[in-house]
Amino acid sequence: MKRWLVGGGVVLGVAAAFVLAVVVGMFLGGGSYTAGGTPQTLSTAAPAVVVSPTPSPAPTEPSALPTPRPTPTEPLPRNGARPATALFVGDSYTVGQRASSPEDRWSSIVSRQMRWTERNVADGGTGFVSRYPDKGLLSYAEQLRSVKYPARIDVVVIAGGQNDFDELRTEPATVFQAVEDTYALAAERFPDARIIAVGPSTPWAVGLEVRALDGAVRAAAERYGATYVSLIDPNVVRQRYVDADGIHVTDEGYAAIARRVVAQIS
């Protein structure tokens, strides 16, 4: 699993924060790790994210923006109808790694409370960009495409993104575009489903990468009519919830994530 640590580079950090604030429209801070991958050694300093602006000619007409899709009404069973089927896309946090059992992962807790039938296709170590095709571990867009009979899905929950922090520092435009493309795909492939966007989380201090990615997720959610859920305002992963591996959370942590999600989508 990739870990992150921020230090040094005050000038570059301020410049990066300013540029990313323009890109994702948020105040930014610093951080990175992989949820569901192989542990790596902490570095003493993480390179700042610097996005070099590329001048572009003035458009001759207004840019076409996606038409906001209306948020479907609450997908709960009515009058004896079948329970809503909820598709969960994400990384090892959504898989429920280090939970006592699958029933104790946050997606399953949410599904029980919302009376959904859970369909979880999350893969550890993945993200909007991160993927391990040689191990059959798919990116979020690939997870969405892997689902047969999309018309049977009533709710789509896309969660996480923290495994993309390393790529965010080196290729931010690629990550931001992947976030946009993933939500565009969800809206296109599941046009009648309610889409829920759960932003990234972190077991450490909320910093630059997590805020930048969270801002991109929130912006994409707004463009495509998804319900946005923040896990960092305030940070839901408190230190006492962090598992012994230093990356994932305990059953208490998964329960805390579930409470946050239910509170913000209800």
Side-chain angles (χ1 to χ4, degrees):
M1 308 204 175
K2 307 171 195 169
R3 297 174 177 246
W4 53 264
L5 186 64
V6 173
V10 174
V11 175
L12 287 177
V14 172
F18 172 76
V19 173
L20 283 175
V22 173
V23 175
V24 300
M26 292 196 60
F27 293 103
L28 309 177
S32 162
Y33 73 98
T34 293
T38 303
Q40 295 185 357
T41 305
L42 283 171
S43 59
T44 56
V49 181
V50 179
V51 182
S52 300
T54 302
S56 58
T60 56
E61 58 184 22
S63 301
L65 294 176
T67 302
R69 69 196 289 273
T71 301
T73 55
E74 185 65 29
L76 293 176
R78 303 294 184 194
N79 300 323
R82 68 172 179 85
T85 298
L87 174 69
F88 287 84
V89 167
D91 56 27
S92 62
Y93 268 51
T94 308
V95 170
Q97 189 166 333
R98 308 292 287 191
S100 297
S101 70
E103 290 74 23
D104 292 315
R105 61 189 178 185
W106 70 266
S107 62
S108 297
I109 297 172
V110 169
S111 294
R112 285 196 299 274
Q113 294 191 19
M114 298 299 293
R115 301 177 188 175
W116 294 340
T117 297
E118 177 182 4
R119 185 170 179 185
N120 194 316
V121 297
D123 281 329
T126 64
F128 293 99
V129 173
S130 298
R131 57 194 291 273
Y132 299 91
D134 56 324
K135 300 179 180 178
L137 303 179
L138 308 178
S139 68
Y140 292 176
E142 291 170 329
Q143 291 174 30
L144 289 171
R145 291 192 186 97
S146 73
V147 177
K148 295 181 180 180
Y149 310 114
R152 298 179 182 177
I153 301 299
D154 304 294
V155 186
V156 177
V157 183
I158 304 172
Q162 47 265 34
N163 289 326
D164 293 326
F165 288 164
D166 281 351
E167 289 80 0
L168 187 61
R169 288 199 299 267
T170 58
E171 299 181 59
T174 299
V175 176
F176 294 146
Q177 188 61 55
V179 173
E180 175 79 14
D181 292 346
T182 298
Y183 281 92
L185 175 63
E188 177 185 2
R189 188 165 171 75
F190 305 92
D192 298 322
R194 178 185 184 184
I195 300 176
I196 298 173
V198 180
S201 60
T202 176
W204 297 291
V206 174
L208 177 61
E209 286 87 356
V210 69
R211 287 212 175 271
L213 187 55
D214 187 74
V217 169
R218 181 171 187 170
E222 291 175 353
R223 278 192 293 275
Y224 293 100
T227 302
Y228 164 76
V229 177
S230 171
L231 297 185
I232 62 171
D233 289 319
N235 189 7
V236 71
V237 182
R238 300 181 183 180
Q239 192 58 43
R240 68 176 182 271
Y241 298 152
V242 179
D243 187 79
D245 69 358
I247 302 293
H248 298 93
V249 294
T250 61
D251 290 350
E252 285 185 294
Y254 285 123
I257 293 173
R259 286 194 297 272
R260 176 70 59 84
V261 173
V262 169
Q264 294 195 20
I265 68 175
S266 297

